[in-house]
Amino acid sequence: GRRKRWQIESFRCILDAIVGDEALCVVDFCCGSGNFGLALAALLPKCSFLLLDRNAHAIDLARQRAADAGLSNVSVVVGNVE
């Protein structure tokens, strides 16, 4: 709960400083079901987010959660980091 919220808010501050007015692509490696990346995608709609994990079931959940949230700036991919 609180710790995850703090992590997301802290990372958003960092991304805000980096992104500025640019529309960057943020890659969430080993994203699991997308808890971190989807929250950031909702907070930073001008950026695109690529969620990557090798677990197909987790990616299916992330894909469904992104669709349910109406996030058009998110792509999800099953694959390895290599």
Side-chain angles (χ1 to χ4, degrees), residues 14-67:
I14 293 167
L15 282 177
D16 280 341
I18 293 170
V19 171
D21 292 333
E22 294 184 54
L24 300 178
C25 179
V26 178
V27 181
D28 184 359
F29 296 105
C30 304
C31 69
S33 61
N35 291 337
F36 193 74
L38 294 176
L40 287 173
L43 293 170
L44 297 164
K46 67 183 171 184
C47 293
S48 60
F49 286 78
L50 174 64
L51 280 58
L52 174 73
D53 200 288
R54 67 182 192 169
N55 182 319
H57 178 67
I59 286 297
D60 287 342
L61 288 173
R63 183 177 289 116
Q64 185 60 52
R65 291 176 70 213

